[in-house]
Amino acid sequence: MAVLQSVAERNSLNDMQLLAFGLIANKFLDIYSREENSDGSLISHQSKPLRLFLCGPGGTGKTHVIHSVQEVMRFYGCEHQLRFLAPTGNAAALIDGMTCHKGLGLKITSTGSSLNAVDSGDNYGVLVSIHNRTVLRDEWRNVRVLFIDEVSLL
């Protein structure tokens, strides 16, 4: 807990930021403290995942909270267990993440040839190949924290 207090003080988190940071970081520490298999993957448990909608106008410190959580995970050598996704390439670049489609291995397919699906009535589908599923399982096996930025665009 001293780590959380140190990070919160160093980053000068305000009361609302501290509340969100505490919820996320404590959940991470709860999962971190559980037993692991020899390959580093988590032993299955019944703990419910934390689903937190962190919102507010620009400049309220949402990214500041996320960077603080990232700092805690880095301290425990678990920064690689953190993923950042966003619905657009620009949003993904701002958080040093990847698009939701890329991160989830989704390929959008179209049955038509029009560039404007709204006007043409083209049907779109999502394709995930068997190879992609295997790769995705390996890539996501040890991910413990997922942040989706600009979720309102999904």
Side-chain angles (χ1 to χ4, degrees):
M1 294 305 170
V3 172
L4 299 187
Q5 185 174 356
S6 173
V7 169
E9 288 174 2
R10 187 171 38 259
N11 292 318
S12 303
L13 299 178
N14 66 32
D15 289 342
M16 294 305 287
Q17 292 168 336
L18 189 58
L19 178 63
F21 168 72
L23 287 170
I24 300 166
N26 280 310
K27 182 64 176 183
F28 162 73
L29 290 177
D30 177 53
I31 293 170
Y32 177 80
S33 66
R34 296 180 186 274
E35 277 189 66
E36 293 184 351
N37 291 313
S38 60
D39 66 356
S41 63
L42 285 177
I43 293 176
S44 179
H45 61 281
Q46 298 300 317
S47 175
K48 291 186 179 185
L50 172 65
R51 294 179 182 103
L52 178 71
F53 186 71
L54 185 61
C55 62
T60 57
K62 299 177 296 288
T63 303
H64 198 56
V65 170
I66 291 169
H67 286 258
S68 297
V69 172
Q70 190 174 23
E71 189 175 333
V72 169
M73 292 182 73
R74 188 179 309 116
F75 176 84
Y76 285 96
C78 295
E79 189 176 16
H80 65 283
Q81 297 172 349
L82 175 63
R83 284 285 160 85
F84 295 104
L85 299 181
T88 66
N90 285 342
L94 290 173
I95 60 171
D96 196 26
M98 63 182 77
T99 63
C100 295
H101 291 89
K102 171 122 173 98
L104 299 174
L106 303 176
K107 181 179 179 183
I108 306 301
T109 60
S110 170
T111 59
S113 59
S114 173
L115 294 176
N116 190 343
V118 175
D119 294 336
S120 70
D122 287 353
N123 290 320
Y124 282 83
V126 176
L127 175 68
V128 180
S129 71
I130 292 172
H131 171 74
N132 281 355
R133 279 188 264 175
T134 303
V135 170
L136 285 170
R137 273 192 205 104
D138 290 341
E139 288 179 1
W140 285 86
R141 183 177 318 279
N142 294 318
V143 173
R144 295 181 179 169
V145 178
L146 169 66
F147 287 108
I148 301 176
D149 197 15
E150 301 291 347
V151 74
S152 62
L153 297 176
L154 293 177

